[in-house]
Amino acid sequence: MKKKLFVGASVLALLVSAASTWAADKEITVWSWFVQSTMQKSIDAFQKAHPDVKVTYTYYNFSPEYITALKAAAASGSLPDVIGLQPGSLTQQYREQLEPINDRATKQWGADWEKNIFPVNRKQMQMGNPKGDTNYYLMPQESQVLCIWYNRKLFEQLGIAVPKTYDDLKAASKKLTEGGFIPMFQGAADGWQNENVFLMLANQFSPGIVDKAQAGETPWTAPELVEAMQAWKGLFDDGVFQQGALGAHAYPTGAQLFQQGRVGMMALGSWWMQESKFPPPLSEFVHNMEGFDFFYMPPVKDGNKASPPVGGIDIGYGLTKNGAKNEEAWTFLAELTNGVGLQEALNDLNDLPAFSGHEPKGDITDHVKEMSARFMADLPKAENQRFASPAVAEALDNALAGVAAGSLEPKAALKSVDEATQKALASK
């Protein structure tokens, strides 16, 4: 009898052990281009609060690796539970594979949860949705503001003041080039960086005009947009961008050169502050962001103002149809965007919050705090950075590349964007 009791106890112990193992093996799969070291901190914080859940993260470089991986997984029905997204065109490309998150967010944060998200982010969350579709398919984690970063140590070394006019910008670029440095590094092989600079220029001529053009309310061939496209070409012709920019990539090439002090300026955004939180060794310029500060693109035409803040959602996350079947996946997504996971990202200065009421904590210098405060002051008034239609974004990318290469005239290039817009609007 004792032997039987012993066997029974053993079986019970095995069952308990198996149950414990099963519980620890609840798994959430996540794909993104989000910085791997920072994501791991977010995951660790989540798993500390949810010790029975394992999060498996797969990191990709955004372009082309991440874009290619998403396309392949969507085609085979094998998307992970949670995917990193940008609003507008990228979200719309995968909308059919995404689960609406409205009800889950309301249950998590209450009926007025949207009011805690900055205005430009709220607008972007539904960009490109079919008419009448009020669903949210991504939840923003972080915001960004676009700007021109500059190496303030190089500027001081060469006697360059922060450019206030386009002539100042050209003069600064000339001094940097003559000093053996790259003036303004442009990864013109990357559509996203070209779009960002064009948006800076277009909003100088008429704030909000790109949104009007996307909506079909203003033609892409409007005089202000043609002038912005001419100004875009001028950045190449006037030596503001480096030689060979059309074949260059912002990441990793441009970023590495900027970190090393070989570049004077670069059109990036508030996310550049995160460089100071990467594992050492860090260059003298990146350490505590000592070598960097930012300004907005100076007016490229007399009578213009400097570019207004442009930005919105840096990165958001979507719950896939696969993830909707995994009850833990939403819990992780919620913590990543407005909970313990978000706080870890902010502490790493990865970017600005998408929800109000958050700020970075920990070891942050006065210089970084001051820059972050300037970005946060500008975020509520930022112009929209994103494109609703993948086809329109692609058409603009092609137009910008063609004009920069000299193979397309500005107005003809923009006409092709207008045609893509009309086609996209007609299909909605």
Side-chain angles (χ1 to χ4, degrees):
M1 176 64 81
K2 287 184 179 179
K3 186 175 183 181
K4 288 182 180 179
L5 285 173
F6 176 75
V7 171
S10 298
V11 170
L12 181 61
L14 287 170
L15 288 173
V16 171
S17 176
S20 176
T21 301
W22 174 84
D25 285 343
K26 290 180 185 178
E27 184 175 8
I28 303 163
T29 52
V30 183
W31 288 7
S32 179
W33 66 96
F34 194 80
V35 178
Q36 192 158 9
S37 58
T38 300
M39 177 63 89
Q40 191 57 55
K41 293 176 184 178
S42 295
I43 290 170
D44 290 345
F46 174 80
Q47 290 183 155
K48 183 178 181 180
H50 302 270
D52 59 337
V53 182
K54 176 185 178 184
V55 181
T56 299
Y57 177 55
T58 303
Y59 166 83
Y60 295 90
N61 282 323
F62 181 78
S63 180
E65 289 84 1
Y66 185 64
I67 301 304
T68 302
L70 281 184
K71 286 181 180 177
S76 63
S78 59
L79 284 169
D81 297 327
V82 176
I83 56 174
L85 291 169
Q86 291 175 339
S89 59
L90 186 60
T91 297
Q92 292 304 316
Q93 189 172 348
Y94 295 98
R95 176 168 45 82
E96 297 298 326
Q97 287 85 31
L98 295 171
E99 183 79 3
I101 55 179
N102 304 48
D103 292 343
R104 286 178 169 87
T106 298
K107 185 177 179 181
Q108 185 85 29
W109 299 308
D112 295 332
W113 66 271
E114 296 106 317
K115 293 181 180 179
N116 294 320
I117 296 177
F118 291 102
V120 69
N121 295 344
R122 290 201 304 271
K123 178 179 181 179
Q124 291 175 346
M125 286 170 69
Q126 293 179 337
M127 280 188 68
N129 278 12
K131 188 175 181 179
D133 186 347
T134 59
N135 286 316
Y136 295 116
Y137 296 96
L138 91 162
M139 185 61 66
Q141 181 192 27
E142 293 182 336
S143 308
Q144 62 187 12
V145 173
L146 305 180
C147 63
I148 309 296
W149 283 93
Y150 71 100
N151 187 316
R152 60 182 188 165
K153 291 190 175 184
L154 289 188
F155 271 46
E156 182 179 351
Q157 175 185 326
L158 297 174
I160 301 172
V162 174
K164 301 294 185 185
T165 67
Y166 189 60
D167 283 342
D168 289 346
L169 184 64
K170 289 192 292 184
S173 299
K174 186 172 186 292
K175 273 194 174 183
L176 284 161
T177 302
E178 290 173 346
F181 301 99
I182 293 170
M184 184 184 293
F185 190 98
Q186 179 69 11
D190 301 318
W192 66 266
Q193 203 186 25
N194 296 344
E195 291 170 12
N196 288 353
V197 173
F198 181 74
L199 285 166
M200 294 179 190
L201 297 170
N203 281 292
Q204 279 191 16
F205 287 92
S206 180
I209 193 170
V210 173
D211 276 356
K212 292 177 182 177
Q214 289 193 69
E217 298 168 5
T218 296
W220 280 92
T221 52
E224 297 92 338
L225 289 170
V226 173
E227 286 190 279
M229 188 63 86
Q230 290 168 339
W232 160 253
K233 181 67 162 65
L235 294 170
F236 292 85
D237 295 344
D238 295 334
V240 175
F241 292 155
Q242 82 277 18
Q243 292 292 320
L246 283 169
H249 291 279
Y251 287 89
T253 308
Q256 289 174 351
L257 292 171
F258 203 26
Q259 292 164 358
Q260 295 162 7
R262 296 170 61 187
V263 171
M265 300 173 283
M266 194 167 176
L268 294 166
S270 46
W271 69 85
W272 185 249
M273 293 185 294
Q274 72 184 307
E275 299 288 325
S276 66
K277 288 292 187 176
F278 285 173
L282 299 175
S283 75
E284 63 175 294
F285 308 105
V286 173
H287 181 67
N288 290 328
M289 285 278 104
E290 286 300 330
F292 297 109
D293 209 326
F294 70 91
F295 61 91
Y296 293 114
M297 179 74 79
V300 295
K301 179 184 177 181
D302 289 344
N304 281 11
K305 295 181 179 179
S307 297
V310 177
I313 298 172
D314 176 358
I315 186 170
Y317 290 87
L319 184 69
T320 67
K321 297 290 186 183
N322 293 334
K325 302 170 189 174
N326 182 352
E327 64 181 26
E328 311 296 338
W330 165 255
T331 305
F332 175 72
L333 195 158
E335 293 284 11
L336 185 64
T337 55
N338 191 25
V340 295
L342 171 65
Q343 188 61 57
E344 292 298 326
L346 296 180
N347 294 350
D348 260 10
L349 300 173
N350 196 74
D351 219 327
L352 314 173
F355 281 78
S356 61
H358 296 282
E359 62 182 9
K361 299 176 181 178
D363 183 19
I364 302 168
T365 66
D366 289 342
H367 175 53
V368 173
K369 285 179 182 177
E370 186 270 338
M371 290 191 295
S372 181
R374 283 156 57 197
F375 281 128
M376 288 300 295
D378 288 337
L379 178 59
K381 56 190 177 185
E383 296 289 344
N384 171 43
Q385 177 193 359
R386 301 300 185 184
F387 293 87
S389 163
V392 172
E394 182 179 1
L396 180 59
D397 291 347
N398 292 337
L400 290 167
V403 170
S407 60
L408 289 174
E409 290 298 318
K411 191 167 185 178
L414 287 166
K415 185 177 179 182
S416 67
V417 184
D418 202 59
E419 291 169 351
T421 300
Q422 297 307 318
K423 187 175 180 179
L425 292 171
S427 68
K428 291 185 70 171

